[in-house]
Amino acid sequence: MAHKILKIHPDDNVFVALTDLAKNEPLEYNGTSIPVAETIRAKHKFTEAEIKKGDPVIMYGTLVGIASETIEKGSALTTHNVSHKAHSFSEKTTTASWEALQVPQWASRTFLGYHRADGQVGTANYWLVIPLVFCENRNVEVMKEAFLEELGFLRPNRYKKYVQQMAQLYREGRSIDIETIMPEDDTAFSERLFPNVDGIKFLTHQGGCGGTREDAEMLCSLIAGYLHNPNVAGATVLSLGCQNAQIHILQEKLQEKNPDFQKPLFILEQQQEGTEAQLLSKAIKQTFTGLMEVNKLQRSPAPLNKLTIGLECGGSDGFSGISANPAVGHVSDIIASLGGTTLLAEFPELCGVEQELINRCTHKAISQKFIQLMRTYARSAEAAGSGFDMNPSPGNIKDGLITDAMKSAGAAKKGGTSPVTDVLDYAETATKPGLNLLCTPGNDVESTTALAGSGATIILFTTGLGTPTGNPIAPVIKIASNSELAKRMPDIIDVDTGAIITGGENIAQAGEKLLDFIVKVASGELRTKAQKLHQDDFIPWKRGISL
């Protein structure tokens, strides 16, 4: 029988309600009677014994807050009685021990990927069209309108017909109370002119000029990362000419990432080409010839150590840290054991678990880089009148994550238990197998944008509340922490780990089921819900304060 409550770690002084609990409901845990002093909603926490004002709140075996007033035995934790408090951190004090998982069933498994000249293997074969500056956004949109439907990459917008129907009813003076459009079968891409091209991705952004020179340089590094990503087969880049993000900066960043870059790449500058028609005609023709070339590529088998997997969460709830995130962490450990690469992002959501991660770093220099990046980020937040403690969103709080340390302790579970082999600043490229820590904000889209820019070829995105976030070049697999969400929003959820909460499966079972799904997506056998919705979110981080 499934438990109604859970103590995550033996040292915890709080329980998690796995279902709604009534006041005075008789409960027992490991043979001990557990009091319920008030109604406790599922996902929320309540005290095992009285916690006096100023005493620590312990969860996941670590400090996640401090009682701002005395909390009676069996009472719920709220933002009124608990304040954010996290452990401090210092230099690496010890080296955590870890043994690679013995997973012969995955060691022999392969996926069908696109093998690039530099030895990388992509899970997709995309052509990228991107501007160096926001002034070129309109030209990118014009190219998008010209290409996608004509080449079979996008069906006509079915919502246009919906509006047409309502407009006709309005003209006739009739009620517009017509049925909601239901999801269609996934029949897109059935008549593509270039069947071996998974899509043309047209990206726009608001950067490249008007900000700081550092922002422009970071944008160029990010775009270079997208060009270098093995999921990208080739690209067309549009430049105006006078902006901060100059072509030569992009070329320098690309040279740093890949000195022997061999993909087709067309860079056009509007102020040199002449009229808009001249620019677009040339860009469209070059792009078309590039598509002809990359369409010759075929998928072929590759070992799972060729995967680079981004680890992300968004719209987290009180179950994320005990179901979806640990399942993802198990996948991360398997990939690390096989010699593959995983990237754990969102530095504001590592608050309070820094020392554990520092001690997991394989070298002192790596741990020192992590310390420097975390402290610099925290100081910047404080200087702007904010702080990591302000990270939890209203949705997080409503569903049981009431402090940043509590949220972080659960979010860090996505990184599993393997050693930290490298720490990357924003827009740096992952080059070392194993678990990498990537400095990004907690903002979902800014973070997923960065993960793909650092080389992620698949992104695992856990959520407890539901979010439609996707990425243009890295398939995003959406993982629900609870089954109710998976049933309510089936159009955005790919994998349900809610059975961990109800006792139907354990973390290892859920992780292996997820990895099997990953292999199918990486092979092009399955498309994620975000891909089906063409959810191509792209927001570069301007390095200001974004939590």
Side-chain angles (χ1 to χ4, degrees), residues 449-521:
T449 296
L451 283 166
S454 289
T457 55
I458 292 279
I459 295 174
L460 305 183
F461 190 113
T462 65
T463 182
L465 305 177
T467 171
T469 303
N471 182 264
I473 65 168
V476 175
I477 297 173
K478 216 66 61 60
I479 304 148
S481 71
N482 62 91
S483 297
E484 192 277 329
L485 168 63
K487 293 175 183 176
R488 188 176 70 253
M489 303 181 77
D491 58 327
I492 68 168
I493 297 299
D494 297 291
V495 177
D496 176 17
T497 61
I500 295 174
I501 301 298
T502 59
E505 62 185 3
N506 60 37
I507 289 168
Q509 290 169 333
E512 298 220 3
K513 183 175 72 175
L514 173 58
L515 184 51
D516 184 67
F517 189 90
I518 292 167
V519 172
K520 291 175 181 176
V521 171

Coordinates of all heavy atoms in Angstrom, one line a residue, residues 449-521:
T449 N 18.3 27.6 -23.3 CA 19.0 28.2 -24.4 C 20.5 28.0 -24.2 O 21.3 27.7 -25.1 CB 18.7 29.7 -24.5 OG1 17.3 29.9 -24.8 CG2 19.5 30.4 -25.6
A450 N 21.0 28.2 -23.0 CA 22.4 28.1 -22.7 C 22.9 26.6 -22.8 O 24.0 26.3 -23.2 CB 22.7 28.6 -21.3
L451 N 22.0 25.7 -22.3 CA 22.4 24.3 -22.4 C 22.7 23.8 -23.8 O 23.7 23.1 -24.1 CB 21.3 23.4 -21.8 CG 21.1 23.4 -20.3 CD1 19.8 22.8 -19.8 CD2 22.3 22.6 -19.7
A452 N 21.8 24.2 -24.8 CA 22.1 23.9 -26.2 C 23.3 24.6 -26.7 O 24.1 24.0 -27.4 CB 20.9 24.2 -27.0
G453 N 23.6 25.8 -26.2 CA 24.8 26.5 -26.6 C 26.1 25.9 -26.1 O 27.1 26.1 -26.7
S454 N 26.0 25.1 -25.0 CA 27.1 24.5 -24.5 C 27.3 23.0 -25.0 O 28.2 22.3 -24.5 CB 27.1 24.5 -22.9 OG 27.3 25.8 -22.5
G455 N 26.4 22.6 -25.8 CA 26.6 21.3 -26.5 C 25.5 20.3 -26.2 O 25.6 19.2 -26.8
A456 N 24.5 20.6 -25.4 CA 23.5 19.6 -25.2 C 22.8 19.2 -26.4 O 22.3 20.0 -27.2 CB 22.5 20.1 -24.1
T457 N 22.6 17.8 -26.6 CA 21.9 17.3 -27.8 C 20.6 16.8 -27.5 O 19.8 16.5 -28.3 CB 22.8 16.2 -28.5 OG1 23.1 15.2 -27.6 CG2 24.1 16.8 -29.1
I458 N 20.3 16.6 -26.2 CA 19.0 16.3 -25.6 C 18.9 17.1 -24.3 O 19.9 17.2 -23.6 CB 18.9 14.8 -25.3 CG1 18.9 13.9 -26.5 CG2 17.7 14.5 -24.4 CD1 17.6 13.8 -27.3
I459 N 17.7 17.6 -24.0 CA 17.5 18.3 -22.7 C 16.4 17.6 -22.0 O 15.3 17.4 -22.5 CB 17.2 19.8 -22.9 CG1 18.4 20.5 -23.5 CG2 16.8 20.4 -21.6 CD1 18.1 21.9 -23.9
L460 N 16.6 17.2 -20.7 CA 15.6 16.6 -19.8 C 15.1 17.7 -19.0 O 15.8 18.4 -18.3 CB 16.2 15.5 -19.0 CG 16.9 14.4 -19.7 CD1 17.4 13.3 -18.7 CD2 16.0 13.8 -20.8
F461 N 13.8 17.9 -19.0 CA 13.1 19.1 -18.3 C 12.1 18.5 -17.4 O 11.0 18.1 -17.8 CB 12.5 20.0 -19.4 CG 12.1 21.3 -18.9 CD1 12.7 22.5 -19.2 CD2 11.0 21.4 -18.0 CE1 12.3 23.7 -18.8 CE2 10.5 22.6 -17.5 CZ 11.2 23.8 -17.9
T462 N 12.3 18.6 -16.1 CA 11.3 18.1 -15.1 C 10.4 19.3 -14.7 O 10.8 20.4 -14.7 CB 12.0 17.6 -13.9 OG1 12.7 18.6 -13.2 CG2 13.0 16.5 -14.2
T463 N 9.1 18.9 -14.5 CA 8.2 19.9 -14.1 C 7.1 19.3 -13.2 O 6.7 18.2 -13.5 CB 7.6 20.6 -15.3 OG1 6.7 21.7 -14.9 CG2 6.8 19.6 -16.2
G464 N 6.6 20.1 -12.3 CA 5.5 19.6 -11.4 C 4.2 20.4 -11.7 O 3.1 19.9 -11.4
L465 N 4.4 21.6 -12.3 CA 3.2 22.4 -12.6 C 2.9 22.5 -14.0 O 1.7 22.8 -14.4 CB 3.5 23.9 -12.1 CG 3.9 24.0 -10.6 CD1 4.3 25.4 -10.3 CD2 2.8 23.5 -9.7
G466 N 3.8 22.2 -14.9 CA 3.6 22.2 -16.4 C 4.1 23.4 -17.0 O 3.8 24.5 -16.6
T467 N 5.0 23.2 -18.0 CA 5.5 24.4 -18.8 C 5.8 23.9 -20.2 O 6.3 22.8 -20.4 CB 6.8 25.0 -18.2 OG1 7.4 25.9 -19.0 CG2 7.8 23.9 -17.9
P468 N 5.4 24.7 -21.2 CA 5.6 24.3 -22.6 C 7.0 24.5 -23.2 O 7.2 24.4 -24.4 CB 4.6 25.1 -23.3 CG 4.5 26.4 -22.6 CD 4.7 26.0 -21.1
T469 N 8.0 24.9 -22.4 CA 9.3 25.2 -22.9 C 9.9 24.2 -23.8 O 9.8 23.0 -23.5 CB 10.2 25.5 -21.7 OG1 9.7 26.4 -20.8 CG2 11.6 25.9 -22.1
G470 N 10.5 24.7 -24.9 CA 11.3 23.8 -25.8 C 12.5 24.5 -26.2 O 12.8 25.6 -25.7
N471 N 13.3 23.9 -27.1 CA 14.5 24.5 -27.6 C 14.5 24.3 -29.2 O 14.1 23.2 -29.6 CB 15.7 23.9 -27.0 CG 17.0 24.5 -27.4 OD1 17.7 24.0 -28.3 ND2 17.4 25.6 -26.9
P472 N 15.1 25.2 -29.9 CA 15.1 25.0 -31.4 C 15.9 23.8 -31.9 O 15.6 23.2 -32.9 CB 15.7 26.3 -31.9 CG 15.6 27.3 -30.7 CD 15.7 26.5 -29.5
I473 N 17.1 23.5 -31.2 CA 18.0 22.5 -31.8 C 18.2 21.3 -30.9 O 18.6 20.3 -31.5 CB 19.4 23.1 -32.1 CG1 20.1 23.6 -30.9 CG2 19.2 24.3 -33.1 CD1 21.6 23.9 -31.1
A474 N 17.8 21.4 -29.7 CA 18.0 20.2 -28.8 C 16.6 19.7 -28.3 O 15.9 20.5 -27.7 CB 18.8 20.6 -27.6
P475 N 16.2 18.5 -28.7 CA 14.9 18.0 -28.3 C 14.8 18.1 -26.7 O 15.7 17.7 -26.0 CB 14.9 16.6 -28.8 CG 15.8 16.6 -29.9 CD 16.9 17.5 -29.5
V476 N 13.6 18.7 -26.3 CA 13.4 18.8 -24.8 C 12.4 17.8 -24.4 O 11.2 17.8 -24.9 CB 12.9 20.2 -24.5 CG1 12.6 20.3 -23.0 CG2 14.0 21.2 -24.8
I477 N 12.8 16.9 -23.5 CA 11.9 15.8 -23.0 C 11.3 16.3 -21.7 O 12.0 16.6 -20.8 CB 12.6 14.5 -22.8 CG1 13.2 14.0 -24.2 CG2 11.7 13.5 -22.2 CD1 14.1 12.8 -24.1
K478 N 10.0 16.5 -21.7 CA 9.3 17.0 -20.5 C 8.8 15.9 -19.6 O 8.1 15.0 -20.0 CB 8.1 17.8 -21.0 CG 7.8 19.1 -20.1 CD 8.9 20.1 -20.2 CE 9.1 20.6 -21.6 NZ 7.9 21.3 -22.2
I479 N 9.2 16.0 -18.3 CA 9.0 14.9 -17.4 C 8.2 15.4 -16.2 O 8.6 16.3 -15.5 CB 10.4 14.4 -16.9 CG1 11.3 13.9 -18.0 CG2 10.2 13.2 -15.9 CD1 12.8 14.2 -17.8
A480 N 7.0 14.8 -16.0 CA 6.1 15.2 -14.9 C 6.5 14.6 -13.6 O 6.8 13.4 -13.6 CB 4.7 14.8 -15.3
S481 N 6.4 15.3 -12.5 CA 6.7 14.8 -11.2 C 5.5 14.1 -10.6 O 5.7 13.4 -9.6 CB 7.1 16.0 -10.3 OG 6.0 16.8 -10.0
N482 N 4.3 14.3 -11.2 CA 3.1 13.7 -10.7 C 2.2 13.4 -11.8 O 2.1 14.0 -12.8 CB 2.4 14.7 -9.7 CG 2.0 16.0 -10.3 OD1 0.9 16.1 -10.8 ND2 2.9 17.0 -10.3
S483 N 1.4 12.3 -11.6 CA 0.6 11.8 -12.7 C -0.6 12.7 -13.0 O -1.1 12.7 -14.1 CB 0.1 10.4 -12.3 OG 1.2 9.5 -12.2
E484 N -1.1 13.4 -12.0 CA -2.2 14.3 -12.2 C -1.8 15.4 -13.3 O -2.7 15.7 -14.2 CB -2.6 15.0 -10.9 CG -3.9 15.8 -10.9 CD -3.8 17.2 -11.5 OE1 -2.7 17.8 -11.4 OE2 -4.8 17.6 -12.2
L485 N -0.6 15.9 -13.2 CA -0.2 16.8 -14.2 C -0.1 16.1 -15.6 O -0.5 16.7 -16.6 CB 1.2 17.4 -13.9 CG 2.0 18.1 -15.0 CD1 1.2 19.4 -15.4 CD2 3.4 18.5 -14.5
A486 N 0.5 14.9 -15.7 CA 0.6 14.2 -16.9 C -0.8 14.0 -17.6 O -0.9 14.1 -18.8 CB 1.3 12.9 -16.7
K487 N -1.8 13.8 -16.8 CA -3.1 13.6 -17.3 C -3.8 14.9 -17.7 O -4.5 14.9 -18.7 CB -4.0 12.9 -16.3 CG -3.6 11.4 -16.0 CD -4.4 10.8 -14.8 CE -3.9 9.4 -14.5 NZ -4.6 8.9 -13.3
R488 N -3.5 16.0 -17.0 CA -4.1 17.2 -17.3 C -3.5 17.9 -18.5 O -4.2 18.6 -19.2 CB -4.0 18.1 -16.0 CG -4.8 19.4 -16.1 CD -4.8 20.3 -14.9 NE -3.4 20.9 -14.6 CZ -2.6 20.4 -13.7 NH1 -2.9 19.4 -12.9 NH2 -1.4 21.0 -13.5
M489 N -2.2 17.7 -18.7 CA -1.5 18.4 -19.8 C -0.7 17.4 -20.6 O 0.5 17.5 -20.8 CB -0.6 19.5 -19.2 CG -1.3 20.5 -18.3 SD -0.2 21.8 -17.7 CE 0.0 22.9 -19.1
P490 N -1.4 16.5 -21.2 CA -0.8 15.5 -22.0 C -0.1 16.0 -23.3 O 0.7 15.3 -23.9 CB -1.9 14.5 -22.4 CG -3.1 15.3 -22.4 CD -2.9 16.3 -21.3
D491 N -0.5 17.2 -23.7 CA 0.1 17.8 -24.9 C 1.5 18.3 -24.7 O 2.2 18.6 -25.7 CB -0.8 18.9 -25.5 CG -1.0 20.0 -24.5 OD1 -1.1 19.7 -23.2 OD2 -1.1 21.2 -24.9
I492 N 1.9 18.4 -23.5 CA 3.3 18.9 -23.2 C 4.2 17.9 -22.5 O 5.4 18.1 -22.4 CB 3.3 20.3 -22.5 CG1 2.8 20.2 -21.1 CG2 2.5 21.4 -23.3 CD1 3.1 21.4 -20.3
I493 N 3.6 16.9 -21.8 CA 4.3 16.0 -21.0 C 4.7 14.7 -21.8 O 3.8 14.1 -22.4 CB 3.5 15.6 -19.8 CG1 3.3 16.8 -18.9 CG2 4.3 14.5 -19.0 CD1 4.5 17.5 -18.4
D494 N 6.0 14.4 -21.8 CA 6.4 13.2 -22.5 C 6.5 11.9 -21.6 O 6.2 10.8 -22.0 CB 7.8 13.4 -23.0 CG 7.8 14.5 -24.1 OD1 7.3 14.3 -25.2 OD2 8.4 15.6 -23.8
V495 N 7.0 12.1 -20.3 CA 7.2 11.0 -19.4 C 6.6 11.3 -18.1 O 6.8 12.4 -17.6 CB 8.7 10.7 -19.3 CG1 9.0 9.6 -18.3 CG2 9.3 10.3 -20.7
D496 N 5.9 10.4 -17.5 CA 5.3 10.6 -16.2 C 6.1 9.8 -15.1 O 6.2 8.5 -15.2 CB 3.8 10.1 -16.2 CG 3.1 10.1 -14.9 OD1 3.6 10.8 -14.0 OD2 2.1 9.5 -14.8
T497 N 6.6 10.4 -14.1 CA 7.3 9.7 -13.0 C 6.4 9.7 -11.7 O 6.9 9.4 -10.6 CB 8.7 10.4 -12.7 OG1 8.4 11.7 -12.2 CG2 9.6 10.3 -13.9
G498 N 5.2 10.0 -11.9 CA 4.3 10.0 -10.7 C 4.2 8.7 -10.0 O 3.8 8.7 -8.8
A499 N 4.5 7.6 -10.7 CA 4.4 6.3 -10.0 C 5.4 6.1 -8.9 O 5.2 5.3 -8.0 CB 4.6 5.2 -11.1
I500 N 6.4 7.0 -8.9 CA 7.4 7.0 -7.7 C 6.6 7.4 -6.5 O 6.8 6.9 -5.4 CB 8.6 7.9 -8.0 CG1 9.4 7.3 -9.2 CG2 9.4 8.0 -6.8 CD1 10.5 8.2 -9.6
I501 N 5.8 8.4 -6.6 CA 5.0 9.0 -5.5 C 4.0 8.0 -5.0 O 3.8 7.8 -3.8 CB 4.3 10.3 -5.9 CG1 5.3 11.3 -6.4 CG2 3.4 10.8 -4.8 CD1 6.3 11.8 -5.4
T502 N 3.3 7.3 -5.9 CA 2.3 6.3 -5.5 C 2.8 4.9 -5.1 O 2.1 4.1 -4.6 CB 1.3 6.2 -6.6 OG1 1.9 5.7 -7.8 CG2 0.6 7.5 -6.9
G503 N 4.1 4.7 -5.3 CA 4.8 3.5 -5.0 C 4.7 2.4 -6.1 O 5.1 1.3 -5.9
G504 N 4.3 2.8 -7.3 CA 4.2 1.9 -8.4 C 5.6 1.6 -9.0 O 5.7 0.5 -9.7
E505 N 6.6 2.4 -8.8 CA 7.9 2.1 -9.3 C 8.9 2.9 -8.5 O 8.6 3.8 -7.8 CB 8.1 2.5 -10.8 CG 7.9 3.9 -11.2 CD 8.0 4.2 -12.7 OE1 8.1 3.2 -13.4 OE2 7.9 5.4 -13.1
N506 N 10.2 2.4 -8.5 CA 11.2 3.1 -7.8 C 12.0 4.0 -8.7 O 11.8 4.1 -9.9 CB 12.2 2.1 -7.1 CG 12.9 1.1 -8.0 OD1 13.3 1.5 -9.1 ND2 13.1 -0.1 -7.6
I507 N 13.0 4.7 -8.1 CA 13.7 5.8 -8.9 C 14.5 5.1 -10.0 O 14.5 5.6 -11.2 CB 14.6 6.6 -8.0 CG1 13.7 7.5 -7.1 CG2 15.6 7.4 -8.7 CD1 14.5 8.1 -5.9
A508 N 15.1 4.0 -9.8 CA 15.9 3.3 -10.8 C 15.1 2.9 -11.9 O 15.4 3.0 -13.1 CB 16.7 2.2 -10.2
Q509 N 13.9 2.3 -11.6 CA 13.0 1.9 -12.7 C 12.5 3.0 -13.6 O 12.5 2.9 -14.8 CB 11.8 1.1 -12.1 CG 12.1 -0.2 -11.5 CD 11.0 -0.8 -10.6 OE1 10.2 0.0 -10.1 NE2 11.0 -2.1 -10.5
A510 N 12.2 4.1 -12.9 CA 11.7 5.3 -13.6 C 12.8 5.9 -14.5 O 12.6 6.3 -15.6 CB 11.2 6.4 -12.6
G511 N 14.1 5.9 -13.9 CA 15.2 6.4 -14.7 C 15.5 5.6 -15.9 O 15.8 6.1 -17.0
E512 N 15.4 4.3 -15.8 CA 15.7 3.4 -17.0 C 14.6 3.5 -18.0 O 14.9 3.5 -19.2 CB 15.9 2.0 -16.5 CG 17.1 1.8 -15.6 CD 17.9 0.6 -15.8 OE1 17.6 -0.2 -16.8 OE2 18.9 0.4 -15.1
K513 N 13.4 3.7 -17.6 CA 12.3 3.9 -18.5 C 12.5 5.2 -19.3 O 12.3 5.3 -20.5 CB 11.0 3.9 -17.8 CG 9.7 4.1 -18.7 CD 8.4 4.0 -17.9 CE 8.2 5.2 -17.1 NZ 6.9 5.2 -16.4
L514 N 13.0 6.2 -18.5 CA 13.3 7.5 -19.2 C 14.4 7.4 -20.2 O 14.4 8.0 -21.3 CB 13.6 8.5 -18.1 CG 14.1 9.9 -18.5 CD1 13.1 10.6 -19.4 CD2 14.4 10.8 -17.3
L515 N 15.5 6.7 -19.8 CA 16.6 6.5 -20.7 C 16.2 5.8 -22.0 O 16.7 6.2 -23.1 CB 17.7 5.8 -20.0 CG 19.0 5.6 -20.8 CD1 19.5 7.0 -21.4 CD2 20.1 5.0 -19.9
D516 N 15.3 4.8 -21.9 CA 14.8 4.2 -23.1 C 14.1 5.2 -24.0 O 14.3 5.2 -25.2 CB 13.9 3.0 -22.7 CG 13.4 2.2 -23.9 OD1 14.3 1.6 -24.5 OD2 12.2 2.3 -24.2
F517 N 13.3 6.1 -23.4 CA 12.7 7.1 -24.2 C 13.7 8.0 -24.8 O 13.5 8.4 -26.0 CB 11.7 7.9 -23.2 CG 10.8 8.8 -23.9 CD1 9.5 8.4 -24.4 CD2 11.2 10.2 -24.2 CE1 8.7 9.3 -25.0 CE2 10.3 11.1 -24.8 CZ 9.1 10.6 -25.3
I518 N 14.7 8.4 -24.1 CA 15.8 9.3 -24.6 C 16.4 8.7 -25.8 O 16.6 9.4 -26.9 CB 16.9 9.5 -23.5 CG1 16.3 10.3 -22.4 CG2 18.1 10.2 -24.1 CD1 17.2 10.4 -21.1
V519 N 16.7 7.4 -25.8 CA 17.4 6.7 -26.9 C 16.5 6.8 -28.2 O 16.9 7.0 -29.3 CB 17.7 5.3 -26.6 CG1 18.2 4.5 -27.8 CG2 18.8 5.2 -25.5
K520 N 15.2 6.6 -28.0 CA 14.2 6.7 -29.1 C 14.1 8.1 -29.7 O 14.1 8.3 -30.9 CB 12.9 6.2 -28.7 CG 12.8 4.7 -28.4 CD 11.5 4.2 -27.8 CE 11.5 2.7 -27.5 NZ 10.2 2.3 -26.9
V521 N 14.2 9.1 -28.8 CA 14.2 10.5 -29.3 C 15.5 10.8 -30.0 O 15.5 11.4 -31.1 CB 13.9 11.5 -28.1 CG1 14.1 12.9 -28.6 CG2 12.5 11.3 -27.6

